[in-house]
Amino acid sequence: MSSSEEVGGGGGDGGGPSSRRRRRGVGNNGVWPEPFLEALATQMAIDASRSIGRLVAAQALSNVFQVCSTWRTVSRSDLLWQNLSNRIWNRHHLLRPTWHDEYVYWHQTSNNYRHRRYVYHTLHFVPSNNDDNHNNDNLSCRRLALSDHHLAAGFSDGSVQLFHLPTRVHLSTFRPQQRDRLGRYSRAISGIILSDEKLVFASLDGDIHVVLIGGAEQPPPHRAHLGDVVNDGALVDFTGCDRWWVGLYAGVPGRAFHVWNSETEELIFADGDLTDPEAVTGWHLLTELTDLVGRVRITARDTAVTCTGPRLVVIDLLNQGLILRERSFQQELIVGSFDATSESLVAVDVRSIATVHRTEDLDESCRFNVRGASQRGVVGSMNNSGYGVMCLGGVIIRVWEVENGVYLYSLRERIGEVNAMHADERHIVACSSDGTIHLWDFGAQ
């Protein structure tokens, strides 16, 4: 089901405000108000999405709209398509003429994702002119981030390069403000938060920089937080949303979680012992690019989930990092394989077994064998459409339907050893050790 007729049927130019809707008869036994029919259609689509899959929601809607002309009229409500785009495709900003068009686009893009229909591109990052980086061959990409129109790549020298996705043109290179360094890689990028208006990036030494993007001239980044490695340890991972920034530290006991208000850039609290066993590894990251210590992801508006080798922990961002749920594992997790969305999280253990858990309660929903994984050779990512992407052995990139553990396919391209990888609802991006950024675009054409 990839056409607009299959997804919506009735067009998407809006049906007017709910207050002006008229009651329409159904048979001879009564009338159904249109808001009720909208709610019913929405719930049926969401139920189909959760029980079978997001793509099946379109068929459920089609069945509803075929009941009679009254029910078909509901298909012209843009409010219905806005709600469905929010709930099923996690889209909250209108990029196309109507919400019906928005829903159709992401349905088609998800269908492309499932059936390996994409366009492949390569990008090359601009060599650094940093005095600290004497050999650009050693410049390593540490983090990647995507927004609707931009791609950001963060490197071991502390620089972040910004690209325009539609044209794949390099726009700018941002560098942190200069300061004394504690270790060769203390400026290495440990996290990026990217929207089409703002770029936020953090480095291992704990510095956080913010820069506004999208204007005619790119202003230099300003330092929102000055890191304190001695008292906090190394900032090993960093993420955020429109309300929070969350940092995961390792090196100093009791300082694992740092949380900021992203609007005021104010530090709210610093607490937690999750990474206390990895303190030594955290210090080593400042001088050598070792294995990842942990990852952190915001999974709902006010909660975050964190992964280390032996544990998963869900924390309450509103309540001083209170641990809401946690789970320990006998078989150590490969931290680089971990990723999470608002509904699910996935991680691979040292036996090459991937387990999928619901983020709301950490209950296991399924597991599958990734075949070919090794403890140092799995890099993973997951998008909000339910697709998981894993690079195995640094060469092969495979795609799964994570929520049911179904293996779909391998990408055709072999790109060499992967340093960083990220996936969203339209793209997969990976950076290989030869300095090439690889981009797979599944967008509906």
Side-chain angles (χ1 to χ4, degrees), residues 152-183:
F155 295 90
S156 55
D157 69 343
S159 65
V160 176
Q161 299 195 18
L162 186 69
F163 297 85
H164 184 237
L165 273 176
T167 60
R168 299 176 298 282
V169 170
H170 175 268
L171 297 177
S172 300
T173 298
F174 303 103
R175 293 184 174 84
Q177 296 180 27
Q178 297 299 312
R179 60 174 295 190
D180 293 337
R181 302 180 66 180
L182 182 63

PDB file of all heavy atoms in Angstrom, residues 152-183:
ATOM      1  N   ALA A 152      24.930  16.126  10.611  1.00  0.00           N
ATOM      2  CA  ALA A 152      26.079  16.604  11.378  1.00  0.00           C
ATOM      3  C   ALA A 152      26.989  15.441  11.709  1.00  0.00           C
ATOM      4  O   ALA A 152      26.521  14.361  12.090  1.00  0.00           O
ATOM      5  CB  ALA A 152      25.628  17.302  12.653  1.00  0.00           C
ATOM      6  N   ALA A 153      28.282  15.649  11.562  1.00  0.00           N
ATOM      7  CA  ALA A 153      29.287  14.631  11.881  1.00  0.00           C
ATOM      8  C   ALA A 153      30.283  15.234  12.857  1.00  0.00           C
ATOM      9  O   ALA A 153      30.847  16.308  12.600  1.00  0.00           O
ATOM     10  CB  ALA A 153      30.002  14.168  10.602  1.00  0.00           C
ATOM     11  N   GLY A 154      30.506  14.560  13.984  1.00  0.00           N
ATOM     12  CA  GLY A 154      31.425  15.034  15.010  1.00  0.00           C
ATOM     13  C   GLY A 154      32.677  14.186  15.049  1.00  0.00           C
ATOM     14  O   GLY A 154      32.601  12.954  14.953  1.00  0.00           O
ATOM     15  N   PHE A 155      33.834  14.814  15.243  1.00  0.00           N
ATOM     16  CA  PHE A 155      35.105  14.136  15.051  1.00  0.00           C
ATOM     17  C   PHE A 155      35.965  14.127  16.310  1.00  0.00           C
ATOM     18  O   PHE A 155      35.687  14.798  17.302  1.00  0.00           O
ATOM     19  CB  PHE A 155      35.859  14.793  13.890  1.00  0.00           C
ATOM     20  CG  PHE A 155      35.151  14.631  12.574  1.00  0.00           C
ATOM     21  CD1 PHE A 155      34.231  15.574  12.157  1.00  0.00           C
ATOM     22  CD2 PHE A 155      35.383  13.519  11.777  1.00  0.00           C
ATOM     23  CE1 PHE A 155      33.555  15.423  10.951  1.00  0.00           C
ATOM     24  CE2 PHE A 155      34.709  13.363  10.572  1.00  0.00           C
ATOM     25  CZ  PHE A 155      33.797  14.315  10.159  1.00  0.00           C
ATOM     26  N   SER A 156      37.038  13.364  16.218  1.00  0.00           N
ATOM     27  CA  SER A 156      37.928  13.167  17.365  1.00  0.00           C
ATOM     28  C   SER A 156      38.713  14.413  17.736  1.00  0.00           C
ATOM     29  O   SER A 156      39.251  14.494  18.842  1.00  0.00           O
ATOM     30  CB  SER A 156      38.896  12.007  17.076  1.00  0.00           C
ATOM     31  OG  SER A 156      39.607  12.227  15.872  1.00  0.00           O
ATOM     32  N   ASP A 157      38.799  15.401  16.852  1.00  0.00           N
ATOM     33  CA  ASP A 157      39.508  16.647  17.173  1.00  0.00           C
ATOM     34  C   ASP A 157      38.589  17.711  17.757  1.00  0.00           C
ATOM     35  O   ASP A 157      39.008  18.840  17.996  1.00  0.00           O
ATOM     36  CB  ASP A 157      40.213  17.192  15.932  1.00  0.00           C
ATOM     37  CG  ASP A 157      39.252  17.706  14.873  1.00  0.00           C
ATOM     38  OD1 ASP A 157      38.041  17.354  14.945  1.00  0.00           O
ATOM     39  OD2 ASP A 157      39.678  18.458  13.981  1.00  0.00           O
ATOM     40  N   GLY A 158      37.308  17.364  17.985  1.00  0.00           N
ATOM     41  CA  GLY A 158      36.359  18.303  18.563  1.00  0.00           C
ATOM     42  C   GLY A 158      35.559  19.097  17.558  1.00  0.00           C
ATOM     43  O   GLY A 158      34.679  19.872  17.943  1.00  0.00           O
ATOM     44  N   SER A 159      35.820  18.931  16.277  1.00  0.00           N
ATOM     45  CA  SER A 159      35.079  19.664  15.254  1.00  0.00           C
ATOM     46  C   SER A 159      33.786  18.942  14.893  1.00  0.00           C
ATOM     47  O   SER A 159      33.672  17.723  15.022  1.00  0.00           O
ATOM     48  CB  SER A 159      35.934  19.851  13.999  1.00  0.00           C
ATOM     49  OG  SER A 159      36.213  18.599  13.396  1.00  0.00           O
ATOM     50  N   VAL A 160      32.804  19.729  14.426  1.00  0.00           N
ATOM     51  CA  VAL A 160      31.535  19.198  13.922  1.00  0.00           C
ATOM     52  C   VAL A 160      31.296  19.794  12.549  1.00  0.00           C
ATOM     53  O   VAL A 160      31.337  21.020  12.383  1.00  0.00           O
ATOM     54  CB  VAL A 160      30.358  19.536  14.857  1.00  0.00           C
ATOM     55  CG1 VAL A 160      29.040  19.056  14.252  1.00  0.00           C
ATOM     56  CG2 VAL A 160      30.559  18.919  16.227  1.00  0.00           C
ATOM     57  N   GLN A 161      31.049  18.933  11.570  1.00  0.00           N
ATOM     58  CA  GLN A 161      30.808  19.400  10.213  1.00  0.00           C
ATOM     59  C   GLN A 161      29.332  19.223   9.880  1.00  0.00           C
ATOM     60  O   GLN A 161      28.730  18.193  10.173  1.00  0.00           O
ATOM     61  CB  GLN A 161      31.690  18.645   9.219  1.00  0.00           C
ATOM     62  CG  GLN A 161      33.175  18.859   9.491  1.00  0.00           C
ATOM     63  CD  GLN A 161      34.056  18.434   8.345  1.00  0.00           C
ATOM     64  OE1 GLN A 161      33.610  18.285   7.212  1.00  0.00           O
ATOM     65  NE2 GLN A 161      35.346  18.260   8.630  1.00  0.00           N
ATOM     66  N   LEU A 162      28.759  20.252   9.280  1.00  0.00           N
ATOM     67  CA  LEU A 162      27.334  20.302   8.968  1.00  0.00           C
ATOM     68  C   LEU A 162      27.138  20.243   7.459  1.00  0.00           C
ATOM     69  O   LEU A 162      27.767  20.992   6.709  1.00  0.00           O
ATOM     70  CB  LEU A 162      26.720  21.580   9.534  1.00  0.00           C
ATOM     71  CG  LEU A 162      25.202  21.721   9.423  1.00  0.00           C
ATOM     72  CD1 LEU A 162      24.505  20.726  10.344  1.00  0.00           C
ATOM     73  CD2 LEU A 162      24.776  23.154   9.776  1.00  0.00           C
ATOM     74  N   PHE A 163      26.236  19.356   7.018  1.00  0.00           N
ATOM     75  CA  PHE A 163      25.918  19.187   5.599  1.00  0.00           C
ATOM     76  C   PHE A 163      24.431  19.451   5.376  1.00  0.00           C
ATOM     77  O   PHE A 163      23.592  19.209   6.257  1.00  0.00           O
ATOM     78  CB  PHE A 163      26.242  17.760   5.141  1.00  0.00           C
ATOM     79  CG  PHE A 163      27.690  17.386   5.226  1.00  0.00           C
ATOM     80  CD1 PHE A 163      28.223  16.919   6.424  1.00  0.00           C
ATOM     81  CD2 PHE A 163      28.525  17.486   4.126  1.00  0.00           C
ATOM     82  CE1 PHE A 163      29.560  16.559   6.517  1.00  0.00           C
ATOM     83  CE2 PHE A 163      29.862  17.134   4.210  1.00  0.00           C
ATOM     84  CZ  PHE A 163      30.380  16.668   5.410  1.00  0.00           C
ATOM     85  N   HIS A 164      24.097  19.917   4.177  1.00  0.00           N
ATOM     86  CA  HIS A 164      22.717  20.102   3.756  1.00  0.00           C
ATOM     87  C   HIS A 164      22.268  18.813   3.065  1.00  0.00           C
ATOM     88  O   HIS A 164      22.819  18.435   2.023  1.00  0.00           O
ATOM     89  CB  HIS A 164      22.620  21.298   2.791  1.00  0.00           C
ATOM     90  CG  HIS A 164      21.240  21.618   2.376  1.00  0.00           C
ATOM     91  ND1 HIS A 164      20.836  21.652   1.053  1.00  0.00           N
ATOM     92  CD2 HIS A 164      20.130  21.919   3.104  1.00  0.00           C
ATOM     93  CE1 HIS A 164      19.560  21.955   0.979  1.00  0.00           C
ATOM     94  NE2 HIS A 164      19.106  22.128   2.206  1.00  0.00           N
ATOM     95  N   LEU A 165      21.276  18.135   3.638  1.00  0.00           N
ATOM     96  CA  LEU A 165      20.904  16.821   3.122  1.00  0.00           C
ATOM     97  C   LEU A 165      20.363  16.837   1.685  1.00  0.00           C
ATOM     98  O   LEU A 165      20.763  15.995   0.873  1.00  0.00           O
ATOM     99  CB  LEU A 165      19.868  16.173   4.052  1.00  0.00           C
ATOM    100  CG  LEU A 165      20.420  15.374   5.233  1.00  0.00           C
ATOM    101  CD1 LEU A 165      19.272  14.887   6.109  1.00  0.00           C
ATOM    102  CD2 LEU A 165      21.246  14.184   4.752  1.00  0.00           C
ATOM    103  N   PRO A 166      19.440  17.738   1.331  1.00  0.00           N
ATOM    104  CA  PRO A 166      18.907  17.680  -0.041  1.00  0.00           C
ATOM    105  C   PRO A 166      19.978  17.816  -1.124  1.00  0.00           C
ATOM    106  O   PRO A 166      19.882  17.190  -2.184  1.00  0.00           O
ATOM    107  CB  PRO A 166      17.918  18.857  -0.077  1.00  0.00           C
ATOM    108  CG  PRO A 166      17.488  19.024   1.344  1.00  0.00           C
ATOM    109  CD  PRO A 166      18.717  18.734   2.151  1.00  0.00           C
ATOM    110  N   THR A 167      21.011  18.639  -0.864  1.00  0.00           N
ATOM    111  CA  THR A 167      22.056  18.839  -1.871  1.00  0.00           C
ATOM    112  C   THR A 167      23.355  18.112  -1.530  1.00  0.00           C
ATOM    113  O   THR A 167      24.245  18.014  -2.370  1.00  0.00           O
ATOM    114  CB  THR A 167      22.367  20.328  -2.021  1.00  0.00           C
ATOM    115  OG1 THR A 167      22.820  20.847  -0.747  1.00  0.00           O
ATOM    116  CG2 THR A 167      21.124  21.094  -2.458  1.00  0.00           C
ATOM    117  N   ARG A 168      23.461  17.638  -0.276  1.00  0.00           N
ATOM    118  CA  ARG A 168      24.664  16.956   0.246  1.00  0.00           C
ATOM    119  C   ARG A 168      25.895  17.870   0.175  1.00  0.00           C
ATOM    120  O   ARG A 168      27.025  17.421   0.040  1.00  0.00           O
ATOM    121  CB  ARG A 168      24.910  15.636  -0.499  1.00  0.00           C
ATOM    122  CG  ARG A 168      23.762  14.660  -0.342  1.00  0.00           C
ATOM    123  CD  ARG A 168      23.969  13.402  -1.142  1.00  0.00           C
ATOM    124  NE  ARG A 168      24.038  13.657  -2.570  1.00  0.00           N
ATOM    125  CZ  ARG A 168      22.979  13.894  -3.350  1.00  0.00           C
ATOM    126  NH1 ARG A 168      21.773  13.921  -2.824  1.00  0.00           N
ATOM    127  NH2 ARG A 168      23.124  14.112  -4.638  1.00  0.00           N
ATOM    128  N   VAL A 169      25.670  19.173   0.299  1.00  0.00           N
ATOM    129  CA  VAL A 169      26.749  20.167   0.275  1.00  0.00           C
ATOM    130  C   VAL A 169      27.208  20.431   1.701  1.00  0.00           C
ATOM    131  O   VAL A 169      26.398  20.561   2.625  1.00  0.00           O
ATOM    132  CB  VAL A 169      26.254  21.470  -0.390  1.00  0.00           C
ATOM    133  CG1 VAL A 169      27.267  22.595  -0.210  1.00  0.00           C
ATOM    134  CG2 VAL A 169      25.968  21.235  -1.868  1.00  0.00           C
ATOM    135  N   HIS A 170      28.536  20.534   1.880  1.00  0.00           N
ATOM    136  CA  HIS A 170      29.097  20.912   3.174  1.00  0.00           C
ATOM    137  C   HIS A 170      28.806  22.383   3.428  1.00  0.00           C
ATOM    138  O   HIS A 170      29.120  23.251   2.601  1.00  0.00           O
ATOM    139  CB  HIS A 170      30.601  20.657   3.179  1.00  0.00           C
ATOM    140  CG  HIS A 170      31.290  21.127   4.423  1.00  0.00           C
ATOM    141  ND1 HIS A 170      31.840  22.389   4.530  1.00  0.00           N
ATOM    142  CD2 HIS A 170      31.509  20.517   5.610  1.00  0.00           C
ATOM    143  CE1 HIS A 170      32.368  22.535   5.735  1.00  0.00           C
ATOM    144  NE2 HIS A 170      32.186  21.407   6.405  1.00  0.00           N
ATOM    145  N   LEU A 171      28.177  22.678   4.595  1.00  0.00           N
ATOM    146  CA  LEU A 171      27.795  24.046   4.921  1.00  0.00           C
ATOM    147  C   LEU A 171      28.809  24.744   5.814  1.00  0.00           C
ATOM    148  O   LEU A 171      29.200  25.878   5.538  1.00  0.00           O
ATOM    149  CB  LEU A 171      26.423  24.066   5.603  1.00  0.00           C
ATOM    150  CG  LEU A 171      25.239  23.563   4.775  1.00  0.00           C
ATOM    151  CD1 LEU A 171      23.971  23.578   5.621  1.00  0.00           C
ATOM    152  CD2 LEU A 171      25.056  24.407   3.519  1.00  0.00           C
ATOM    153  N   SER A 172      29.183  24.091   6.904  1.00  0.00           N
ATOM    154  CA  SER A 172      30.040  24.745   7.894  1.00  0.00           C
ATOM    155  C   SER A 172      30.807  23.711   8.694  1.00  0.00           C
ATOM    156  O   SER A 172      30.399  22.543   8.786  1.00  0.00           O
ATOM    157  CB  SER A 172      29.215  25.602   8.864  1.00  0.00           C
ATOM    158  OG  SER A 172      28.509  26.614   8.201  1.00  0.00           O
ATOM    159  N   THR A 173      31.907  24.151   9.274  1.00  0.00           N
ATOM    160  CA  THR A 173      32.638  23.376  10.264  1.00  0.00           C
ATOM    161  C   THR A 173      32.702  24.189  11.541  1.00  0.00           C
ATOM    162  O   THR A 173      33.139  25.345  11.521  1.00  0.00           O
ATOM    163  CB  THR A 173      34.054  23.030   9.779  1.00  0.00           C
ATOM    164  OG1 THR A 173      33.979  22.213   8.606  1.00  0.00           O
ATOM    165  CG2 THR A 173      34.819  22.273  10.859  1.00  0.00           C
ATOM    166  N   PHE A 174      32.256  23.617  12.648  1.00  0.00           N
ATOM    167  CA  PHE A 174      32.254  24.295  13.936  1.00  0.00           C
ATOM    168  C   PHE A 174      33.290  23.664  14.846  1.00  0.00           C
ATOM    169  O   PHE A 174      33.427  22.436  14.895  1.00  0.00           O
ATOM    170  CB  PHE A 174      30.869  24.197  14.588  1.00  0.00           C
ATOM    171  CG  PHE A 174      29.764  24.745  13.737  1.00  0.00           C
ATOM    172  CD1 PHE A 174      28.912  23.893  13.049  1.00  0.00           C
ATOM    173  CD2 PHE A 174      29.583  26.112  13.596  1.00  0.00           C
ATOM    174  CE1 PHE A 174      27.899  24.388  12.253  1.00  0.00           C
ATOM    175  CE2 PHE A 174      28.577  26.626  12.802  1.00  0.00           C
ATOM    176  CZ  PHE A 174      27.724  25.758  12.123  1.00  0.00           C
ATOM    177  N   ARG A 175      33.998  24.531  15.568  1.00  0.00           N
ATOM    178  CA  ARG A 175      35.035  24.044  16.475  1.00  0.00           C
ATOM    179  C   ARG A 175      34.802  24.603  17.870  1.00  0.00           C
ATOM    180  O   ARG A 175      34.316  25.725  18.021  1.00  0.00           O
ATOM    181  CB  ARG A 175      36.423  24.440  15.977  1.00  0.00           C
ATOM    182  CG  ARG A 175      36.790  23.740  14.674  1.00  0.00           C
ATOM    183  CD  ARG A 175      38.205  24.048  14.225  1.00  0.00           C
ATOM    184  NE  ARG A 175      38.548  23.250  13.069  1.00  0.00           N
ATOM    185  CZ  ARG A 175      38.238  23.569  11.814  1.00  0.00           C
ATOM    186  NH1 ARG A 175      37.582  24.688  11.570  1.00  0.00           N
ATOM    187  NH2 ARG A 175      38.576  22.782  10.815  1.00  0.00           N
ATOM    188  N   PRO A 176      35.134  23.842  18.905  1.00  0.00           N
ATOM    189  CA  PRO A 176      34.936  24.321  20.276  1.00  0.00           C
ATOM    190  C   PRO A 176      35.877  25.468  20.599  1.00  0.00           C
ATOM    191  O   PRO A 176      36.925  25.631  19.970  1.00  0.00           O
ATOM    192  CB  PRO A 176      35.244  23.092  21.121  1.00  0.00           C
ATOM    193  CG  PRO A 176      36.204  22.296  20.294  1.00  0.00           C
ATOM    194  CD  PRO A 176      35.773  22.504  18.867  1.00  0.00           C
ATOM    195  N   GLN A 177      35.489  26.249  21.598  1.00  0.00           N
ATOM    196  CA  GLN A 177      36.380  27.295  22.076  1.00  0.00           C
ATOM    197  C   GLN A 177      37.630  26.672  22.685  1.00  0.00           C
ATOM    198  O   GLN A 177      37.583  25.601  23.285  1.00  0.00           O
ATOM    199  CB  GLN A 177      35.666  28.151  23.127  1.00  0.00           C
ATOM    200  CG  GLN A 177      34.465  28.903  22.574  1.00  0.00           C
ATOM    201  CD  GLN A 177      33.781  29.734  23.635  1.00  0.00           C
ATOM    202  OE1 GLN A 177      34.404  30.151  24.590  1.00  0.00           O
ATOM    203  NE2 GLN A 177      32.483  29.987  23.457  1.00  0.00           N
ATOM    204  N   GLN A 178      38.749  27.322  22.492  1.00  0.00           N
ATOM    205  CA  GLN A 178      40.023  26.770  22.940  1.00  0.00           C
ATOM    206  C   GLN A 178      40.121  26.771  24.468  1.00  0.00           C
ATOM    207  O   GLN A 178      39.642  27.677  25.138  1.00  0.00           O
ATOM    208  CB  GLN A 178      41.182  27.573  22.351  1.00  0.00           C
ATOM    209  CG  GLN A 178      41.250  27.517  20.834  1.00  0.00           C
ATOM    210  CD  GLN A 178      41.449  26.112  20.310  1.00  0.00           C
ATOM    211  OE1 GLN A 178      42.306  25.387  20.788  1.00  0.00           O
ATOM    212  NE2 GLN A 178      40.655  25.729  19.318  1.00  0.00           N
ATOM    213  N   ARG A 179      40.742  25.732  25.001  1.00  0.00           N
ATOM    214  CA  ARG A 179      41.014  25.629  26.434  1.00  0.00           C
ATOM    215  C   ARG A 179      42.099  24.585  26.636  1.00  0.00           C
ATOM    216  O   ARG A 179      42.470  23.866  25.698  1.00  0.00           O
ATOM    217  CB  ARG A 179      39.746  25.234  27.208  1.00  0.00           C
ATOM    218  CG  ARG A 179      39.155  23.896  26.771  1.00  0.00           C
ATOM    219  CD  ARG A 179      37.997  23.480  27.653  1.00  0.00           C
ATOM    220  NE  ARG A 179      38.436  23.222  29.015  1.00  0.00           N
ATOM    221  CZ  ARG A 179      37.664  22.662  29.940  1.00  0.00           C
ATOM    222  NH1 ARG A 179      36.426  22.333  29.666  1.00  0.00           N
ATOM    223  NH2 ARG A 179      38.126  22.447  31.147  1.00  0.00           N
ATOM    224  N   ASP A 180      42.626  24.502  27.842  1.00  0.00           N
ATOM    225  CA  ASP A 180      43.637  23.492  28.135  1.00  0.00           C
ATOM    226  C   ASP A 180      43.041  22.106  27.968  1.00  0.00           C
ATOM    227  O   ASP A 180      41.884  21.851  28.328  1.00  0.00           O
ATOM    228  CB  ASP A 180      44.158  23.656  29.569  1.00  0.00           C
ATOM    229  CG  ASP A 180      44.944  24.943  29.746  1.00  0.00           C
ATOM    230  OD1 ASP A 180      45.441  25.454  28.728  1.00  0.00           O
ATOM    231  OD2 ASP A 180      45.040  25.421  30.896  1.00  0.00           O
ATOM    232  N   ARG A 181      43.850  21.204  27.443  1.00  0.00           N
ATOM    233  CA  ARG A 181      43.378  19.846  27.191  1.00  0.00           C
ATOM    234  C   ARG A 181      43.966  18.893  28.224  1.00  0.00           C
ATOM    235  O   ARG A 181      45.108  19.003  28.635  1.00  0.00           O
ATOM    236  CB  ARG A 181      43.780  19.402  25.788  1.00  0.00           C
ATOM    237  CG  ARG A 181      43.248  20.303  24.689  1.00  0.00           C
ATOM    238  CD  ARG A 181      43.660  19.832  23.313  1.00  0.00           C
ATOM    239  NE  ARG A 181      43.048  18.553  22.995  1.00  0.00           N
ATOM    240  CZ  ARG A 181      43.247  17.923  21.825  1.00  0.00           C
ATOM    241  NH1 ARG A 181      44.031  18.459  20.918  1.00  0.00           N
ATOM    242  NH2 ARG A 181      42.670  16.775  21.583  1.00  0.00           N
ATOM    243  N   LEU A 182      43.134  17.931  28.633  1.00  0.00           N
ATOM    244  CA  LEU A 182      43.568  16.880  29.541  1.00  0.00           C
ATOM    245  C   LEU A 182      43.455  15.561  28.796  1.00  0.00           C
ATOM    246  O   LEU A 182      42.453  14.860  28.873  1.00  0.00           O
ATOM    247  CB  LEU A 182      42.701  16.869  30.808  1.00  0.00           C
ATOM    248  CG  LEU A 182      43.080  15.844  31.877  1.00  0.00           C
ATOM    249  CD1 LEU A 182      44.493  16.135  32.405  1.00  0.00           C
ATOM    250  CD2 LEU A 182      42.075  15.867  33.024  1.00  0.00           C
ATOM    251  N   GLY A 183      44.487  15.251  28.010  1.00  0.00           N
ATOM    252  CA  GLY A 183      44.467  14.037  27.199  1.00  0.00           C
ATOM    253  C   GLY A 183      44.258  14.352  25.733  1.00  0.00           C
ATOM    254  O   GLY A 183      43.579  15.322  25.359  1.00  0.00           O
TER     255      GLY A 183
END
